[in-house]
Amino acid sequence: MPERLVVIGGDAAGMSAASQARRRRPDDLEIVALEKGSWTSYSACGIPYLVGGDVASLDDLVARSPQTFRDAFRIDVRLRSEAMAIDLDARTVEVRDHEHDRTYALGFDVLHIATGAHPMRPPLPGIDGADIHGVQTLDDAAHLLDHVTSKQVDIRESRVVIVGGGYIGLEMAEAFVRRGADTTVVTSTAQPLNLFDPDIGELVGDAMRAHGITVRCNERVTTFEETGRRTTLVHTDAGDPPIEADLVVLGMGVGPNAGLARDAGLATGDRGAISTDRRQRTSAEGVYAAGDCCESFDRVTGRRVYVALGTVANKQGRVAGINIGGGYATFPGVIGTAVTKLCALEVARTGVSEREAVEAGFEYVAVTIDSTTRAGYFPGTQPIRVKMLAEKKSGHVIGAQIIGQEGAAKRIDVIATAITAGMTADEMTALDLSYAPPFAPVWDPVLIAARKAAEALADAGQA
Amino acid sequence: MPERLVVIGGDAAGMSAASQARRRRPDDLEIVALEKGSWTSYSACGIPYLVGGDVASLDDLVARSPQTFRDAFRIDVRLRSEAMAIDLDARTVEVRDHEHDRTYALGFDVLHIATGAHPMRPPLPGIDGADIHGVQTLDDAAHLLDHVTSKQVDIRESRVVIVGGGYIGLEMAEAFVRRGADTTVVTSTAQPLNLFDPDIGELVGDAMRAHGITVRCNERVTTFEETGRRTTLVHTDAGDPPIEADLVVLGMGVGPNAGLARDAGLATGDRGAISTDRRQRTSAEGVYAAGDCCESFDRVTGRRVYVALGTVANKQGRVAGINIGGGYATFPGVIGTAVTKLCALEVARTGVSEREAVEAGFEYVAVTIDSTTRAGYFPGTQPIRVKMLAEKKSGHVIGAQIIGQEGAAKRIDVIATAITAGMTADEMTALDLSYAPPFAPVWDPVLIAARKAAEALADAGQA
């Protein structure tokens, strides 16, 4: 009898682990993957582009179908199959087969938990209303897409309210306004994109408003009131009148689906996410976890953090799969990199923001520079602003934010790499970055920011 | 009497040093800058885009005018003023003032040499013909632009021959073919872009040919024969018939303008370029040098190298200026990064190519991956190929080449940063690079290449 690996969750963190394990153990491992929904390995990050019309069909978001995993990887993928409980002593998972309406126990030798995340639904009256949706699964996507393409509803007569001003909320707002909906974002923070500093968030808010989106900041939703006339009244702490919505989208972030693991006795940490070591091993022997249900380690602050991103899920899943397959791999952590495109604005961050720097106890300098994405004289050159933070004592770059037009944001990756390597701002000034007029000014904006940070450090007496 | 700094050369390496020195010594330094041509601080890299029509006017290529330096930096810029000799004992420069047809001696306390480079003109019969031009100065640019916009010559009836298959040669070929000229590139190497590996160079050659450019490889020019009928016959070792040209452009690389320094007794090194230490100090007390007339240090191979690029000139000039101004700065060297755009292809390199790796004595693995610039399902996604080299023993990434369409090439900067930091391929796989569907697949192509390199290292027993 070969050993059996049971994977709970058929998206990135689960299936990348399963396929890595298969590559390393082609013959002596049985692999069963349980997925409670109807899809595997899909890009939830693509949902706003599906709703906005950039992506033609829901199927485009599926990277690998269940059949591909069955045929090419010999993985027994079981759809509509939900893990209800884990018994670590008996080494079994209780599986609810929604398709055939039955429950059975599935034994495992090795278990990999990749149960993902769920949209945050604060306990507000009415939040479970029928017209209130998250943006997390392809089932959510199908509902939202149905709304914008429905023959019964003219989307151009529809009022959409997005609750939350993070990436996903703003991306959804842009998607709906592109479809012609009357779109409002309500956020409790002073600016949208709270993971950025206010000076960047303010520019984003301005761009959203210029694009026709109503952005209401410093405002908390208190109640969702169903009227029975297909309209939800969204009450906020700004008082009357409430905002009328034909559709409400929750973009208030996500939380880990870690209940199953916690109930089984596995250790959890930040925001209740499953704790793992660097090899993605949980507190129980032979049990791994990866992705949106797990904690990560922040390499800049040294803290355990909860980060639900597809890149992290894929990396952690791969690491888990290599280790399950008998290899050795570690996931050293994240540094808070993220990027989004909003109304022609590209916005990216890495490392810590000013608020996070303060929280982590860093003494730092912060500089901001304005430049262009190409040589100033080259056609198609676009504005770019780079903000950079460096620690006073060490000179290390600890964070950066970029905002600009086409060609701006991906430059964050250079700074992410430099932060990971522990480079100082002064060391960054000498980086041999590529230059030709169609690609950059002779001093790349990243280098200009590093120069200014190095000068600020010198002025602060920490040359 | 304040000290006097004399700067020889009014382009990037000279004027960035002069302005840095001024910033640090606002009051006690007289600065004289000698420029033999008529412009300061211009972008020679922009010349192909001027000739091709992307850039409207020659003035667009001038970053800062002489008057700006005079007014804002109190630098005594003397145009059409050529340094003819340096007397280190007398601390004087002999200056030829072409404007007023006179020669005078100019004393200095500190000297900064930034005499730039000249196009290579191998001693071939006829190479000094009137219709044979380099692509180095704005005077060259004016000549070439005159040819494509002349009312006497219909550029669409014109035959242009580019000698040399490096960046500048290929960029010029594209510029001329865009103007409608019958354009031929003759190169002695087996593929164009000899600084890239042949597998990349071949793709570039194919793209050039598909764009209507005749590319003749493995062919050496032997003689330029003037016919007197405004046609130059370009004879090559491929034999008859010769190639008929109305205009010949030399793109055979450049050499350092270091004769003045050498004659004064300064130490020189690779390809005769001026030797400096990390602070851009030459072998003589109080004499600095920077830019295309100087050597650089290659951080990957540990060798002194000659690299004539605007980025390096700017960085070295800044370092020289800080040191001249009484500060402390060093230039740690280059790693061979370069990028170009050719016929919609973006091509970039950093670190060593396979040939350079062999020459430097590295044992290495090389991997190549194909991916896309955005999520595969996202509109506008483009192909990208990444080739990556890693040293077997250490696992360090030592080189990379990228070829692809829009959005591909600038990713080389991430690898350049990783190489500079001494990262291994395995360490690179964990880099927290930015991801969103409009910007990258969930595994950025750089990470896919790093993964494959790490796997190849593991297979080679160097996990």
Side-chain angles (χ1 to χ4, degrees), chain A residues 16 20 23-24 43 45-47 49 54-56 60-61 171 299 309-312 314-315 318 330-341 345-350 373-374 377-379 406 409-414 416-418 420-421 423 426-444 447 451 454-455, chain B residues 16 20 23-24 43 45-47 49 54-56 60-61 171 299 309-312 314-315 318 330-341 345-350 373-374 377-379 406 409-414 416-418 420-421 423 426-444 447 451 454-455:
Chain A
S16 61
Q20 277 294 336
R23 282 204 182 92
R24 291 177 172 257
S43 170
C45 317
I47 295 174
Y49 308 101
D54 279 319
V55 177
D60 291 338
L61 300 185
E171 287 166 7
R299 300 170 80 162
L309 285 176
T311 40
V312 178
N314 272 282
K315 289 191 185 101
R318 175 175 171 268
T330 58
F331 180 67
V334 300
I335 61 167
T337 310
V339 66
T340 187
K341 188 157 187 275
L345 268 190
E346 299 187 356
V347 199
R349 57 158 278 159
T350 190
T373 55
R374 307 176 178 200
Y377 56 79
F378 200 85
E406 174 138 32
K410 251 297 185 182
R411 283 175 157 93
I412 203 75
D413 288 351
V414 175
T417 305
T420 304
M423 280 190 182
D426 188 57
E427 286 167 346
M428 278 196 74
T429 63
L431 280 176
D432 193 5
L433 303 187
S434 59
Y435 159 66
F439 298 101
V442 68
W443 286 99
D444 191 277
L447 297 179
R451 270 173 51 182
E455 287 163 14
Chain B
S16 60
Q20 276 294 337
R23 283 206 181 91
R24 289 175 174 259
S43 171
C45 318
I47 295 174
Y49 308 100
D54 279 318
V55 177
D60 291 338
L61 301 186
E171 287 167 6
R299 300 171 81 162
L309 286 175
T311 40
V312 178
N314 271 283
K315 290 192 185 99
R318 174 174 172 268
T330 58
F331 181 66
V334 300
I335 61 167
T337 310
V339 66
T340 186
K341 188 156 187 277
L345 266 190
E346 299 187 356
V347 200
R349 56 158 279 158
T350 189
T373 55
R374 307 177 179 199
Y377 57 78
F378 200 84
E406 173 137 33
K410 250 298 185 181
R411 283 176 157 92
I412 203 74
D413 288 350
V414 175
T417 305
T420 303
M423 280 192 185
D426 188 56
E427 286 167 345
M428 279 195 74
T429 63
L431 280 175
D432 193 7
L433 303 187
S434 59
Y435 158 67
F439 297 101
V442 68
W443 286 99
D444 192 277
L447 297 180
R451 270 172 52 181
E455 286 162 14

Side-chain angles (χ1 to χ4, degrees), chain B residues 72-130:
Chain B
F73 293 89
R74 284 171 292 118
I75 295 168
D76 177 1
V77 180
R78 303 184 187 179
L79 298 178
R80 310 249 303 129
S81 295
E82 185 172 2
M84 307 304 290
I86 299 166
D87 187 330
L88 289 175
D89 295 326
R91 308 299 278 177
T92 57
V93 178
E94 182 189 320
V95 183
R96 180 70 190 162
D97 175 355
H98 295 287
E99 194 71 30
H100 304 95
D101 203 17
R102 66 188 182 113
T103 301
Y104 61 95
L106 178 67
F108 63 82
D109 299 288
V110 181
L111 182 66
H112 178 56
I113 304 175
T115 39
H118 58 271
M120 297 299 283
R121 287 182 176 251
L124 297 174
I127 198 165
D128 292 321

Side-chain angles (χ1 to χ4, degrees), chain A residues 27-103:
Chain A
D27 303 317
D28 69 335
L29 189 68
E30 181 193 349
I31 306 179
V32 181
L34 305 170
E35 165 55 43
K36 69 177 174 182
S38 310
W39 286 275
T40 51
S41 287
Y42 55 88
S43 170
C45 317
I47 295 174
Y49 308 101
L50 179 71
V51 174
D54 279 319
V55 177
S57 117
L58 204 133
D59 292 334
D60 291 338
L61 300 185
V62 177
R64 276 184 182 147
S65 71
Q67 204 54 46
T68 302
F69 285 111
R70 290 179 189 127
D71 295 346
F73 293 89
R74 286 172 292 118
I75 295 168
D76 178 1
V77 179
R78 304 185 187 177
L79 300 177
R80 311 248 306 127
S81 295
E82 186 173 1
M84 307 303 291
I86 298 166
D87 186 331
L88 288 175
D89 296 325
R91 310 299 277 178
T92 56
V93 177
E94 182 189 321
V95 183
R96 179 71 190 162
D97 175 353
H98 294 287
E99 193 71 30
H100 304 95
D101 203 17
R102 65 190 182 113
T103 301

